[in-house]
Amino acid sequence: MFRLCNMLPRALGFAGVLVLSTGLSGLAGSPATAGQVSPPPLVLSPNLTEPWMLQLQPKVQRRSTAQRYQFKQQRIQQPQVRRANWWSPRQQPVRQQPQRQAKAPQTRQIAPQFLPTIVNYDGPHKAGTIVIDTNERFLYLVQNDGTARRYGVGVGKPGFEWAGTHKVTRKAEWPDWRPPAEMRKRRPDLPTFMAGGPENPLGARAMYLGSTLYRIHGSNQPWTIGHAVSSGCIRMRNEDVMDLYERVKVGTTVHVI
């Protein structure tokens, strides 16, 4: 009786373990019933340094810290920088300036045919007379030996041509200029008075013709010689008017044709 009582607790414990083992194996092996989902298997993470909750999570592939925080760098194309000079700082791009076509330089030379020369003369005028051909743009100073000194001149522009005979009534070196009222009415920008000098439109010398407003004078624009550009005056190069100035006197006859 005593032996049976001692064996009874052991038998009951063995039976309980057997029932529990059978139930768990049946539960694990039996298919899931409708509406129920089998729980995922518990997998222990090999990284024992992680918190214990992370160790019990399903084994999924996680990105490393380096992968999680790797930023994609966007390459920005920098504008090409060109230095204006080798010593200039490389700070801002230098914009390429469009190439401009070079303009043809304006000629400042007098045409060769208007330079002073000696020509034959067999006309009716006596020596010492000045003859101005406004069509050909030449001034002739008749000489004693059947020749004439010829100079190129600038004459009146269209609407300011004139012809006639006058005498030289006055001579002046580096003359002052007082534009007449008629000229200032056409050109309000002109001064009422301009002292003589290299910038003066009358140039180095002037010979006044009778009581008219016309003169034979020099010019600070020698490239206009041979053209019709004046308001009626006869223009010469400064070198030429200075030469003519020494050869004529007050009272010299001037024929403008």
Side-chain angles (χ1 to χ4, degrees), residues 7-251:
M7 294 178 60
L8 183 59
R10 292 183 181 180
L12 290 176
F14 179 77
V17 172
L18 182 61
V19 172
L20 178 60
S21 175
T22 304
L24 288 177
S25 61
L27 180 61
S30 61
T33 59
Q36 294 181 352
V37 179
S38 300
L42 298 180
V43 179
L44 185 63
S45 173
N47 187 3
L48 300 179
T49 61
E50 291 185 351
W52 66 271
M53 286 296 294
L54 294 178
Q55 297 181 30
L56 297 178
Q57 290 180 358
K59 187 176 181 180
V60 295
Q61 188 175 1
R62 291 186 292 274
R63 291 182 299 175
S64 64
T65 306
Q67 292 177 345
R68 284 180 298 185
Y69 294 97
Q70 183 178 5
F71 296 98
K72 184 181 292 185
Q73 296 181 358
Q74 183 177 4
R75 300 187 61 181
I76 302 176
Q77 186 176 3
Q78 297 294 334
Q80 187 177 3
V81 177
R82 179 177 63 85
R83 298 185 183 184
N85 299 296
W86 63 268
W87 61 84
S88 60
R90 229 182 132 179
Q91 295 179 351
Q92 295 181 354
V94 179
R95 294 183 178 179
Q96 296 287 346
Q97 297 294 335
Q99 296 182 356
R100 300 179 180 178
Q101 295 182 351
K103 296 181 179 179
Q106 184 178 3
T107 177
R108 297 289 183 175
Q109 301 295 327
I110 183 173
Q113 66 267 26
F114 296 115
L115 295 175
T117 188
I118 302 296
V119 297
N120 294 326
Y121 178 76
D122 59 356
H125 303 292
K126 63 180 182 179
T129 303
I130 294 175
V131 179
I132 300 173
D133 188 337
T134 56
N135 291 326
E136 297 293 331
R137 317 288 167 77
F138 289 123
L139 181 150
Y140 300 89
L141 175 61
V142 181
Q143 302 187 116
N144 291 321
D145 57 354
T147 63
R149 302 184 70 86
R150 190 184 74 182
Y151 306 89
V153 296
V155 299
K157 56 190 174 183
F160 293 88
E161 308 95 334
W162 64 280
T165 300
H166 296 281
K167 291 185 179 295
V168 175
T169 55
R170 185 166 73 92
K171 297 168 61 179
E173 298 182 7
W174 295 105
D176 299 332
W177 183 42
R178 294 175 175 83
E182 296 84 352
M183 183 179 292
R184 285 190 285 109
K185 186 176 181 179
R186 296 191 305 268
R187 293 277 309 277
D189 58 309
L190 295 178
T192 57
F193 171 82
M194 188 174 184
E199 301 300 324
N200 194 303
L202 297 184
R205 303 290 187 269
M207 289 160 277
Y208 296 81
L209 303 179
S211 60
T212 69
L213 299 176
Y214 302 127
R215 290 150 292 203
I216 301 171
H217 64 79
S219 174
N220 54 13
Q221 297 177 330
W223 57 88
T224 63
I225 302 305
H227 301 278
V229 292
S230 74
S231 296
C233 290
I234 306 301
R235 293 185 179 186
M236 302 179 70
R237 293 194 314 163
N238 278 335
E239 303 93 314
D240 298 344
V241 76
M242 292 171 69
D243 181 73
L244 181 65
Y245 185 91
E246 298 299 329
R247 297 177 184 275
V248 302
K249 300 178 180 179
V250 173

